[in-house]
Amino acid sequence: MHVQVFLGHAGNGKPSKLQEVHDQLIAAGITAPVIQAGAYGENGLIEILEVRAAAGQREVLVEDCTRLQILKVLEWRSLTEDDPKFNDLVIHLARQD
């Protein structure tokens, strides 16, 4: 599993990094809906990531993550690093401003 964390908004009139990643995935023919982190607590976010991974989604985009949500995802990554079903999972986390 690979986890990438970046700021949520560019703030300079340019698309956010998350939007750039989303656009690149669409151009490559990969469907990757954006999860709104505000709809979930820390544990709820982990649950939805597990559901998406189990459903076969290999690129997951998450917008407006809190610091605690990011830490929880990083902790989850360390707990699952030996699980082969997560080896090719890539999670892009956009931090709240």
Side-chain angles (χ1 to χ4, degrees):
M1 178 188 316
H2 176 73
V3 177
Q4 181 181 28
V5 180
F6 40 78
L7 289 177
H9 298 93
N12 56 7
K14 294 182 180 179
S16 68
K17 182 65 177 168
L18 187 71
Q19 186 63 52
E20 289 177 16
V21 170
H22 188 253
D23 293 346
Q24 291 169 357
L25 292 172
I26 289 173
I30 299 170
T31 302
V34 178
I35 296 171
Q36 299 297 323
Y40 305 96
E42 293 85 27
N43 292 328
L45 182 57
I46 298 302
E47 289 175 17
I48 194 65
L49 292 173
E50 288 177 335
V51 166
R52 294 284 179 95
Q57 189 173 345
R58 304 325 300 156
E59 295 265 353
V60 182
L61 307 170
V62 186
E63 187 168 56
D64 289 331
C65 294
T66 66
R67 181 178 176 273
L68 289 175
Q69 286 172 319
I70 292 169
L71 291 173
K72 191 70 170 180
V73 171
L74 294 173
E75 178 185 336
W76 175 61
R77 180 191 65 187
S78 69
L79 294 171
T80 60
E81 66 186 346
D82 293 330
D83 190 336
K85 70 182 175 190
F86 297 113
N87 283 349
D88 60 344
L89 181 63
V90 179
I91 301 172
H92 306 274
L93 303 173
R95 194 179 76 190
Q96 285 180 339
D97 293 332

